[in-house]
């Protein structure tokens, strides 16, 4: 009986140990690219587009933002069959100087690697009229037998690598990687450390790279598979091409930062005044509570202040919180395509000594869209 219980306990320990082990994207890549339950790993939540600055002057002039482009030439390796792809190239010590150069952003088929495929009906990797892979089973010789499966032997893989520098002024900040779009699924490493995975090829993928990044030289590596189970959702009437399709950059923010914000700017019932509602999500990466001040400021096209508010807040350790700002703007200049009137919204974070450590600018316009008697109407 005792032996039976010991064996049961050992079995439980083995089960939990096995299931607590993280997947290895090098050896277990099919658990990612053919698994409908995985569309990303370690990806940050989607957010509003913005750049962080250290002063209001820089923010208004859109200069010296905490942002660095990684666009340009990357080292590149391309194979038809995933089994032939490099699996140790993310190691910064591995020499890839004999690899080709490729532009980022670009599509690798347009750059001479593989074939761009145009198709409307049928998936390009399982098209009975022009089959490209023998291992794709079809029902009635037309439809994929196992939705989510993609070719095992012919699924081109592009591997990218480049070095870049991080300035010492970023050493005390949170660092992030932004990949504007990669098709169809891609794995990311920094300095040999696995960062994450992303599908959703027309959406940006962002990752927190603070722990893996270092001041000075850094090595980024990305490996992209042409087809994943996500390709079933991308079967549209267009050219099927692959690669890093939009810009790649890194950016920095302070340890207490604006994580996201939402702006609703509409007209009042008389369509004369503007109604502004701003909700900001703050994130504290420190291990202690922090008292800060959040300042909101709205400027017209002559940089005159027409609304403002300052809110003292306590942000919990390793936590996030929301802050709200509302204002009514008398005689607002509404936005339209013919008269694109815009205002500057400035969000500023200060410490308890009134020291500015982050400024976020964004352009906003005021407009109301309504549905009346089943007709969409625009008020400006």
């Amino acid at each position: 009986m005792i032996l039976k219980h010991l064996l049961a306990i050992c079995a439980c320990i083995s089960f939990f140990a096995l299931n607590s082990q993280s997947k290895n994207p090098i050896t277990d890549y099919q658990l990612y690219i053919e698994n409908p339950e995985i569309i990303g790993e370690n990806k940050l939540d989607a957010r509003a587009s913005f750049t962080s600055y250290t002063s209001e002057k820089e923010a208004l002039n859109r200069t010296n933002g905490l942002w660095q482009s990684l666009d340009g030439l990357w080292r590149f390796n391309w194979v038809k069959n995933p089994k032939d792809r490099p699996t140790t190239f993310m190691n910064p010590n591995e020499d890839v100087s004999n690899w080709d150069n490729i532009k980022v952003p670009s599509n690798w088929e347009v750059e001479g690697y593989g074939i761009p495929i145009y198709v409307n009906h049928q998936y390009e990797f399982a098209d009975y009229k022009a089959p490209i892979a023998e291992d794709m089973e079809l029902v009635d010789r037309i439809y994929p037998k196992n939705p989510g499966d993609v070719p095992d032997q012919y699924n081109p893989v592009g591997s990218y690598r480049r070095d870049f520098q991080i300035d010492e002024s970023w050493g005390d900040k949170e660092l992030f990687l932004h990949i504007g779009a990669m098709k169809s699924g891609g794995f990311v490493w920094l300095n040999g450390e696995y960062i994450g995975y992303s599908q959703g090829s027309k959406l940006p993928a962002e990752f927190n790279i603070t722990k893996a990044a270092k001041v000075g030289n850094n090595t980024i590596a990305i490996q992209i598979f042409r087809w994943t189970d996500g390709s079933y959702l991308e079967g549209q009437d267009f050219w099927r091409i692959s690669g890093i399709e939009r810009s790649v950059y890194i950016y920095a923010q302070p340890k207490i930062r604006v994580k996201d914000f939402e702006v609703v700017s509409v007209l009042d019932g008389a369509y004369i005044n503007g109604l502004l509602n701003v909700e900001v999500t703050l994130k504290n990466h420190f291990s202690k509570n922090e008292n800060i001040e959040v300042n909101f400021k709205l400027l017209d096209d002559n940089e005159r202040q027409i609304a403002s508010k300052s809110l003292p807040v306590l942000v919990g350790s390793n936590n996030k919180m929301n802050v709200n700002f509302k204002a009514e703007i008398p005689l607002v200049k509404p936005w339209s395509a013919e008269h694109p009137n815009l205002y500057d919204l400035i969000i500023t974070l200060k410490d308890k000594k009134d020291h500015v450590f982050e400024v976020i600018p964004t352009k906003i316009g005021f407009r109301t869209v309504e549905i009346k008697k089943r007709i969409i109407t625009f008020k400006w």
Side-chain angles (χ1 to χ4, degrees):
M1 182 63 72
I2 295 176
L3 179 60
K4 181 178 180 180
H5 283 300
L6 287 174
L7 290 173
I9 292 172
C10 290
C12 288
I13 293 174
S14 298
F15 173 81
F16 286 114
L18 178 64
N19 285 274
S20 65
Q21 294 176 358
S22 60
K23 296 178 292 296
N24 184 343
I26 296 299
T27 58
D28 302 331
Y29 72 92
Q30 287 179 303
L31 296 181
Y32 293 82
I33 71 169
E34 294 184 316
N35 186 350
E37 295 184 0
I38 296 180
I39 59 174
E41 187 169 62
N42 300 334
K43 284 174 60 174
L44 300 178
D45 294 337
R47 64 172 179 90
S49 297
F50 61 85
T51 300
S52 180
Y53 297 85
T54 56
S55 73
E56 184 174 317
K57 180 179 179 180
E58 290 179 354
L60 288 173
N61 293 327
R62 304 304 198 269
T63 58
N64 299 325
L66 299 174
W67 176 95
Q68 179 180 329
S69 174
L70 297 186
D71 289 352
L73 293 179
W74 292 50
R75 290 294 183 178
F76 182 68
N77 172 279
W78 182 90
V79 296
K80 293 182 179 180
N81 192 322
K83 72 177 180 61
D84 297 324
R85 77 197 192 285
T87 57
T88 58
F89 76 106
M90 64 289 298
N91 183 344
N93 295 324
E94 182 161 321
D95 184 12
V96 296
S97 60
N98 62 335
W99 285 15
D100 295 339
N101 287 320
I102 194 171
K103 293 182 294 184
V104 170
S106 69
N107 295 106
W108 69 52
E109 292 87 357
V110 178
E111 297 298 314
Y113 302 91
I115 301 172
I117 301 173
Y118 178 86
V119 64
N120 181 8
H121 301 287
Q122 304 303 124
Y123 301 110
E124 73 272 22
F125 50 85
D127 188 345
Y128 70 95
K129 295 173 291 185
I132 62 172
E134 296 180 356
D135 55 333
M136 288 298 295
E137 297 183 72
L138 302 179
V139 176
D140 297 331
R141 295 185 299 175
I142 297 178
Y143 309 107
K145 181 179 180 179
N146 302 300
D149 285 356
V150 292
D152 295 323
Q153 298 177 5
Y154 179 58
N155 186 2
V157 180
S159 302
Y160 298 76
R161 211 181 90 175
R162 68 158 288 174
D163 291 347
F164 65 93
Q165 300 291 315
I166 292 180
D167 189 79
E168 61 181 359
S169 64
W170 287 21
D172 61 345
K173 294 178 170 56
E174 289 291 305
L175 305 181
F176 303 91
L177 169 67
H178 174 103
I179 304 173
M182 53 181 172
K183 181 174 175 65
S184 168
F187 299 93
V188 182
W189 294 266
L190 183 64
N191 297 326
E193 182 176 331
Y194 173 61
I195 298 298
Y197 171 73
S198 177
Q199 286 178 208
S201 63
K202 301 303 180 185
L203 297 172
E206 291 195 330
F207 304 92
N208 189 320
I209 59 172
T210 307
K211 293 182 179 179
K214 60 183 180 180
V215 171
N217 190 67
N218 291 260
T219 301
I220 183 173
I222 300 176
Q223 191 165 77
I224 297 177
F225 288 72
R226 181 170 188 175
W227 296 306
T228 69
D229 56 273
S231 301
Y232 282 81
L233 302 178
E234 298 174 341
Q236 303 173 34
D237 182 11
F238 61 6
W239 282 99
R240 316 297 172 86
I241 44 184
S242 323
I244 302 177
E245 299 187 309
R246 293 179 183 149
S247 288
V248 179
Y249 58 84
I250 58 171
Y251 64 95
Q253 289 188 267
K255 294 295 183 181
I256 303 179
R257 63 186 179 95
V258 173
K259 182 178 184 290
D260 196 7
F261 65 85
E262 180 181 13
V263 178
V264 178
S265 49
V266 296
L267 304 177
D268 65 8
Y271 310 113
I272 295 175
N273 302 319
L275 302 178
L276 177 63
N277 188 351
V278 183
E279 184 170 34
V280 175
T281 301
L282 305 175
K283 172 67 176 179
N284 180 9
H285 292 271
F286 288 119
S287 58
K288 61 179 181 177
N289 299 341
E290 294 287 338
N291 286 291
I292 67 168
E293 179 180 288
V294 184
N295 178 265
F296 299 90
K297 185 184 297 184
L298 190 67
L299 308 178
D300 65 14
D301 54 358
N302 294 314
E303 296 189 5
R304 292 177 300 194
Q305 180 176 301
I306 57 176
S308 68
K309 188 174 184 179
S310 293
L311 297 171
V313 297
L314 175 65
V315 190
S317 62
N318 295 310
N319 208 343
K320 63 181 181 179
M321 68 173 298
N322 292 339
V323 180
N324 188 261
F325 167 57
K326 293 183 179 181
E328 181 172 339
I329 314 302
L331 303 175
V332 73
K333 294 181 179 179
W335 183 96
S336 69
E338 294 78 16
H339 302 284
N341 298 304
L342 292 174
Y343 294 80
D344 279 300
L345 174 66
I346 308 293
I347 304 168
T348 302
L349 305 187
K350 301 180 180 180
D351 62 21
K352 55 187 177 182
K353 295 182 180 180
D354 205 37
H355 171 256
V356 173
F357 58 87
E358 183 169 43
V359 183
I360 304 294
T362 188
K363 296 282 188 181
I364 67 170
F366 290 83
R367 181 175 75 165
T368 291
V369 179
E370 298 173 316
I371 298 178
K372 292 185 176 181
K373 297 181 180 179
R374 295 187 291 182
I375 297 176
I376 296 179
T377 61
F378 301 87
K379 299 296 183 181
W380 54 72

